[in-house]
Amino acid sequence: MLLHLSTWPEVEAYLNQSQGIILPIGSTEQHGPTGLIGTDAICAEAISKGVGETVQALVGPTINVGMALHHTGFPGTISLRPSTMIQMIRDYIVCLTKAGFTKFFFINGHGGNIATLKAAFSETYAHLADLNIADADRVKCKVGNWFMCSSVYKLAKELYGSQEGSHATPSEVALTQYVYPEAIKQAPLSENVASGYSIYSAADFRRRYPDGRMGSNPALATPEHGKQFYELAVKELSNSYLEFINNN
């Protein structure tokens, strides 16, 4: 059940059965010469829909733009400032809490969102309390990072070893190839790829990682691998969602 394809009476009926909602969140940022700029949002959206179908949960609209300031040295990247993202997440949750939702399960596709999401949750709990919204003390938020699922991590290491890297990875590229086979990209990739540098400004990132990859070899990705990652992530995050919903 997708929120944007539902009517308000359908959502009202859903709330009589469950107060949980899945919110996909990703990023619009460079992913190297062959990775789609929408990779993080594409992965989060696809997996969220799969989890929603598995656990019969409502899935909210995908948040396509996240905190990716360090990637803005590459054309096409769009980023929110952490402060902007915190306010956006807070406003999402406040609106949905007023409607009757209390459990918010964010399925995340971008590592750069994690710290800001956790800060947003803390701000939101305090803001809800200040507003004296009914059931504000029952609101709980959780992040499920698909790329950090133990089964996904294990398969990525088996398939790619050290060439998985940490950005523009073959695992995430494979998943986008599975979801959008018509958008598979090819480009020359240098054998030597930068890795191990800390992340600071956008200019420094572009200087350290000139083609946008961080220790990865996305040329290893295949749509078949992507299907495997999708199925593993959906299974593991479905279990995480149910545990979250059922834990009072």
Side-chain angles (χ1 to χ4, degrees):
M1 186 175 176
L2 303 179
L3 182 66
H4 69 286
L5 297 181
S6 305
T7 64
W8 73 260
E10 289 176 320
V11 176
E12 191 168 72
Y14 170 86
L15 282 163
N16 290 326
Q17 306 297 322
S18 175
Q19 291 74 55
I21 186 169
I22 296 168
L23 293 168
I25 183 167
S27 183
T28 298
E29 65 184 46
Q30 69 84 20
H31 273 78
T34 60
L36 305 180
I37 287 174
T39 290
D40 293 341
I42 290 167
C43 293
E45 181 174 85
I47 292 167
S48 293
K49 288 180 179 179
V51 173
E53 291 172 1
T54 300
V55 301
Q56 293 299 291
L58 187 67
V59 179
T62 302
I63 301 170
N64 290 285
V65 178
M67 208 305 288
L69 291 174
H70 50 293
H71 290 296
T72 53
F74 295 86
T77 296
I78 305 172
S79 179
L80 299 176
R81 290 174 297 166
S83 55
T84 305
M85 183 172 159
I86 287 170
Q87 292 183 53
M88 179 187 71
I89 296 298
R90 188 190 70 185
D91 287 352
Y92 267 56
I93 295 172
V94 168
C95 288
L96 291 168
T97 298
K98 287 179 178 179
F101 292 94
T102 59
K103 295 287 187 76
F104 300 90
F105 191 77
F106 287 77
I107 293 184
N108 177 43
H110 173 48
N113 287 339
I114 297 173
T116 303
L117 275 172
K118 290 182 177 179
F121 297 162
S122 294
E123 289 225 8
T124 300
Y125 298 142
H127 186 63
L128 288 171
D130 291 342
L131 293 176
N132 292 317
I133 294 177
D135 293 328
D137 61 328
R138 296 177 57 238
V139 170
K140 296 180 180 178
C141 305
K142 183 177 177 64
V143 182
N145 304 296
W146 81 267
F147 50 89
M148 294 176 68
C149 289
S150 59
S151 56
V152 168
Y153 182 84
K154 180 181 178 182
L155 179 61
K157 289 303 179 184
E158 289 175 357
L159 292 174
Y160 313 126
S162 62
Q163 295 186 82
E164 166 72 353
S166 55
H167 182 67
T169 63
S171 59
E172 61 184 344
V173 170
L175 183 47
T176 64
Q177 291 179 346
Y178 170 61
V179 177
Y180 287 107
E182 71 277 15
I184 295 174
K185 308 293 184 178
Q186 302 292 336
L189 295 174
S190 61
E191 187 173 338
N192 294 323
V193 56
S195 65
Y197 297 108
S198 297
I199 296 174
Y200 297 105
S201 68
D204 184 72
F205 186 97
R206 179 76 188 252
R207 182 167 56 247
R208 302 289 187 183
Y209 301 101
D211 75 351
R213 293 181 295 153
M214 299 177 71
S216 64
N217 182 9
L220 301 175
T222 70
E224 292 74 23
H225 291 166
K227 183 174 187 290
Q228 291 179 266
F229 287 119
Y230 168 82
E231 292 173 347
L232 289 171
V234 167
K235 181 178 180 180
E236 192 162 329
L237 289 173
S238 293
N239 291 334
S240 295
Y241 176 83
L242 292 174
E243 182 180 351
F244 174 59
I245 287 296
N246 295 324
N247 185 2
N248 294 321

